[in-house]
Amino acid sequence: MDEKEIKELKEKLFFKSKNVYDNLSESELAEMEEYSKGYIRFIDACRIEREAVAYSIADAEKKGYVEYNFGDKIEKGGKYYLNNRGKSVAFFRVGKKPITEGVRIAAAHIDSPRLDLKQHPLYENTGIAYFKTHYYGGIKKYQWTTVPLSLHGVLVKADGEVINVNIGDDDGDPVFYISDLLIHLARNQMGKTLAAGVEGEQLNIMLGSAPLPGADKDVGERVKLGVMKLLYDKYGVTEADFVTSELTMTPAMMAREVGFDRSMIAAYGHDDRVCAYPAYTALLDAESEDNTVMIVLADKEEIGSEGVTGMQCRVYMDIIDELAKAFRADPAKVRANSMCLSADVNAGFDPNWPDVHEKMNACFLNEGVVLTKFTGSGGKGGTSDASGEFVGKVAKIFNDGGVIWQTGELGKVDQGGGGTVAMYIANNNIDTVDLGVPVLSMHSPYELIAKADLYETYRAISAFIK
Ligand code: MN
Ligand code: MN
């Protein structure tokens, strides 16, 4: 072989990675920018699962989706959503094809790591009022000090009244705060491991420092009393109502474009709202109505997908059973012919921390949506490990649709790892594979993604449900 033939042979036989920017036209790049703007609006408005449910349902209703409750009639061409306790939601559209051909499913999660309030949260120490917290999901505790925080969730009163709370994200709102030790006195702290430098019981949130106006010093806890009075005046709640409430603190930093070229987005909670947004918008924007499609936005993924709003709950399979029943089909057959994308983020390669990745199998910013055959950790524990046949089927859909995609393993074999909801769907005899956006600084208060990968995730899910 001559030099030219050898070069051609190499070209033909070797794998080549792609950069999204090399593959998008001017108009597609403009579309990507527009899409990113919509995503930024979504992520700024949705800090917790409840807010993401309300936001996505409002979008769906504009596109003709109607609320479904078990027992309601399901019709061909119908567009429905099941609002599961305001904390998870399933959108489904009945396609033209027979239901026995299965349902195309994409499942993402809308909960993110954060600091939940304990049930007895409020106290005063040295003239400062605090909330005690129990963190939700996997976090590096030290990252959550000295960042602005906002309060979200619901106050649930003894008489059953439920009040939505959202303080700290709007201009003019106050924020909340966790202090860290000044470096000058941190000799002991700096000698500790990162895991021990800030402890869970130190993630106490500063709420106020002014005594209740008019209260004498001998009243005691007059700052706590001042805070409690503000809450009583605004919401009518007493301290006892915290026990039945569900409140959390999230970073109060809004999403921003990152870099001179604005090619990236930093935000709180990309994991996994950066997949949830493409999943439900792909359905709402879909032109083809052939397939029956279900988009699940689930809660509780960060703590194991348990409970009535997590992906392990039967409710999502109950919907498939109802779809089958509506057309006198066997639910087992419908499930067997269904396919699912478990849409969740992956660990993007970070050149600052190259040692934890195995570069040949890592995913990279701007190389497109990540198709991941298996997640889990060391020895493939905790994954459904999609079959090669199914990965091939999905890859063909993407290739035919011109989607720029890559593969990616979550870190080196013995370095750690992480699971997704994939196995909980696959356990129902539904072929499932992981797919999502590479993220840097995952689970930190301010995570990073590339716009190009967000856009390709939208295109990938759009091609899959077509
Ligand atoms: Mn996730
Ligand atoms: Mn996560």
Side-chain angles (χ1 to χ4, degrees):
M1 280 197 271
D2 64 21
E3 210 176 304
K4 186 168 163 272
E5 283 171 331
I6 290 170
K7 222 177 142 189
E8 279 169 4
L9 188 68
K10 193 177 170 191
E11 189 78 4
K12 182 180 162 189
L13 298 183
F14 278 16
F15 171 81
K16 281 185 300 295
S17 62
K18 288 181 185 162
N19 187 300
V20 177
Y21 284 91
D22 296 329
N23 290 275
L24 292 189
S25 65
E26 291 268 311
S27 69
E28 284 168 325
L29 285 169
E31 207 177 289
M32 175 185 94
E33 288 297 332
E34 268 312 297
Y35 190 75
S36 298
K37 283 189 190 127
Y39 173 61
I40 287 173
R41 280 194 295 276
F42 167 78
I43 194 149
D44 280 350
C46 305
R47 320 301 282 178
I48 60 171
E49 68 287 347
R50 291 173 188 273
E51 293 162 357
V53 166
Y55 192 103
S56 56
I57 285 177
D59 276 354
E61 284 180 340
K62 280 181 225 150
K63 294 280 175 95
Y65 280 73
V66 296
E67 179 155 24
Y68 169 84
N69 291 294
F70 286 115
D72 290 354
K73 200 166 163 31
I74 294 175
E75 287 170 330
K76 249 208 154 90
K79 298 169 169 182
Y80 309 95
Y81 65 85
L82 185 137
N83 179 343
N84 182 15
R85 299 165 169 87
K87 287 162 67 77
S88 87
V89 58
F91 301 97
F92 56 103
R93 183 201 69 192
V94 185
K96 289 177 189 151
K97 289 185 191 167
I99 193 72
T100 46
E101 291 191 23
V103 181
R104 302 277 171 116
I105 306 164
H109 68 93
I110 46 177
D111 60 318
S112 300
R114 63 194 190 206
L115 307 174
D116 283 358
L117 266 55
K118 295 194 188 197
Q119 297 326 110
H120 282 304
L122 184 61
Y123 70 101
E124 176 178 334
N125 191 346
T126 65
I128 302 169
Y130 288 96
F131 276 151
K132 286 211 72 70
T133 64
H134 189 140
Y135 59 94
Y136 173 98
I139 60 166
K140 291 178 170 179
K141 280 160 268 190
Y142 69 87
Q143 292 181 327
W144 293 69
T145 63
T146 68
V147 295
L149 298 167
S150 53
L151 180 66
H152 294 260
V154 288
L155 283 161
V156 180
K157 288 160 72 172
D159 64 4
E161 190 190 351
V162 179
I163 305 162
N164 281 303
V165 178
N166 182 343
I167 303 170
D169 287 335
D170 291 334
D171 287 342
D173 276 4
V175 295
F176 305 95
Y177 188 83
I178 301 172
S179 62
D180 194 3
L181 191 55
L182 65 168
I183 184 68
H184 315 66
L185 296 177
R187 190 174 297 160
N188 287 349
Q189 185 195 32
M190 297 300 279
K192 291 181 181 177
T193 62
L194 287 175
V198 173
E199 290 175 10
E201 295 295 350
Q202 289 175 314
L203 294 176
N204 300 318
I205 292 164
M206 298 178 78
L207 309 171
S209 63
L212 177 74
D216 284 347
K217 233 181 161 176
D218 52 357
V219 169
E221 297 188 296
R222 54 192 182 143
V223 176
K224 172 179 166 179
L225 188 57
V227 167
M228 207 56 245
K229 183 171 186 302
L230 286 170
L231 289 170
Y232 181 74
D233 289 347
K234 187 161 183 190
Y235 300 114
V237 290
T238 67
E239 195 177 4
D241 292 319
F242 284 126
V243 177
T244 49
S245 293
E246 188 172 297
L247 296 167
T248 193
M249 288 281 177
T250 66
M253 298 171 287
M254 295 294 106
R256 299 292 295 269
E257 292 176 309
V258 173
F260 289 115
D261 58 11
R262 299 171 181 264
S263 60
M264 298 166 281
I265 302 170
Y268 161 66
H270 283 313
D271 176 12
D272 184 33
R273 293 187 271 266
V274 74
C275 298
Y277 184 73
Y280 89 82
T281 53
L283 176 61
L284 300 190
D285 296 346
E287 280 160 17
S288 156
E289 292 183 346
D290 292 347
N291 287 306
T292 295
V293 177
M294 178 161 80
I295 306 295
V296 177
L297 306 184
D299 180 30
K300 295 279 181 279
E301 194 278 341
E302 296 296 356
I303 57 169
S305 297
E306 310 277 354
V308 287
T309 54
M311 198 67 225
Q312 295 199 62
C313 178
R314 268 208 57 90
V315 63
Y316 314 106
M317 291 309 124
D318 285 346
I319 293 172
I320 293 185
D321 287 357
E322 293 299 310
L323 279 164
K325 242 169 51 187
F327 302 102
R328 296 169 198 280
D330 177 2
K333 185 170 179 181
V334 175
R335 286 198 306 277
N337 290 332
S338 293
M339 319 197 272
C340 177
L341 297 177
S342 159
D344 205 345
V345 297
N346 205 317
F349 183 84
D350 187 338
N352 273 341
W353 311 95
D355 297 350
V356 301
H357 299 280
E358 189 271 285
K359 215 171 172 183
M360 268 173 61
N361 287 284
C363 58
F364 296 84
L365 291 190
N366 290 327
E367 292 194 0
V369 63
V370 192
L371 183 62
T372 300
K373 186 175 181 296
F374 59 90
T375 61
S377 55
K380 292 195 173 180
T383 177
S384 47
D385 196 0
S387 73
E389 290 88 337
F390 184 59
V391 178
K393 200 169 176 177
V394 173
K396 184 176 185 313
I397 292 172
F398 292 169
N399 291 337
D400 291 348
V403 175
I404 310 301
W405 63 276
Q406 56 182 323
T407 191
E409 193 177 16
L410 209 160
K412 274 185 181 166
V413 175
D414 289 330
Q415 196 67 44
T420 65
V421 299
M423 57 186 165
Y424 306 122
I425 303 156
N427 289 349
N428 294 292
N429 193 30
I430 295 174
D431 272 312
T432 305
V433 68
D434 279 291
L435 171 103
V437 176
V439 174
L440 264 53
S441 311
M442 197 191 293
H443 284 205
S444 75
Y446 211 46
E447 304 173 323
L448 190 92
I449 59 118
K451 288 177 180 175
D453 303 324
L454 163 68
Y455 184 57
E456 289 305 313
T457 301
Y458 169 71
R459 296 181 69 218
I461 296 170
S462 300
F464 179 77
I465 65 175
K466 200 168 161 186

